[in-house]
Amino acid sequence: MTHEIELAPTVLLLTAITGADHMAEALSERAGVVIELVRSRRAALASLRRYSFDAVMIDATLPDGEVTPTQMLWQNTGDALPMEVDLRALGASGVARLLRGVLNRREQMEIQVREQVTRNLAESMRGPITTLLLQSDLVLREGELTPSAEAKVREMRALADDLRVRLRPA
């Protein structure tokens, strides 16, 4: 049995609004995420270069007077979901709902992609595995193998059969 540790999603929140600490705390509680709060684009860019985030949320009301443009932040988000949100207009509850919805949708899409990749892999491996099974059966039927070679062929057949079973659709 494997045990996976499920970590809360991490969100980089860039805002300069008054009460941002309270907003970050409320978002963390309501959306079930870990928030890293930064107050400038430069600090956000530094965090993006050091850490990986599930989402990057920039306050739409943040003034554009900084040297680091928002476009540079979007270019450095990596796999994080970029979001520009008017925090004041939506409030903590609205932002938390939006964030949960976006993160849940992303999780569903990742599950669908993993399932499709698994199906594609199983389909692409079906022919070679069948060939391995048939060829190993033919070699074993000939019966002119040394005991060592026969053991190796049987092991190869067992491995191929194990792969066939593992790749069978659930």
Side-chain angles (χ1 to χ4, degrees):
M1 175 187 278
T2 61
H3 296 282
E4 288 185 24
I5 298 173
E6 194 150 324
L7 301 175
T10 56
V11 177
L12 179 64
L13 175 60
L14 168 57
T15 184
I17 63 172
T18 305
D21 294 328
H22 298 296
M23 170 71 81
E25 189 176 310
L27 280 175
S28 182
E29 290 173 13
R30 293 177 183 170
V33 298
V34 175
I35 300 283
E36 179 174 336
L37 176 63
V38 292
R39 297 187 180 272
S40 70
R41 287 177 182 84
R42 178 176 284 174
L45 191 56
S47 288
L48 286 169
R49 288 181 175 156
R50 276 191 310 257
Y51 307 110
S52 173
F53 296 94
D54 294 292
V56 175
M57 188 175 289
I58 297 179
D59 187 355
T61 63
L62 197 66
D64 283 330
E66 289 186 52
V67 176
T68 306
T70 302
Q71 187 61 31
M72 189 179 287
L73 293 177
W74 294 146
Q75 291 170 353
N76 285 277
T77 57
D79 290 337
L81 295 167
M83 302 171 67
E84 191 164 6
V85 179
D86 187 340
L87 297 174
R88 286 188 186 120
L90 289 176
S93 294
V95 173
R97 275 192 308 277
L98 176 66
L99 191 54
R100 275 193 317 265
V102 168
L103 291 172
N104 286 339
R105 178 64 183 137
R106 179 183 188 166
E107 184 178 345
Q108 292 302 313
M109 289 175 68
E110 287 173 350
I111 289 169
Q112 289 173 349
V113 167
R114 276 193 302 272
E115 289 172 350
Q116 184 61 47
V117 167
T118 301
R119 283 191 298 274
N120 290 348
L121 178 62
E123 184 63 34
S124 69
M125 296 297 292
R126 188 168 288 132
I129 289 172
T130 301
T131 300
L132 280 170
L133 291 168
L134 291 172
Q135 292 298 323
S136 59
D137 284 344
L138 290 173
V139 168
L140 289 170
R141 280 191 198 136
E142 288 180 7
E144 297 178 12
L145 298 172
T146 65
S148 173
E150 183 178 339
K152 289 175 184 172
V153 171
R154 287 189 186 286
E155 183 177 346
M156 186 175 64
R157 192 203 187 290
L159 290 171
D161 194 45
D162 182 55
L163 277 174
R164 181 186 58 83
V165 170
R166 287 181 187 205
L167 292 172
R168 188 178 293 152

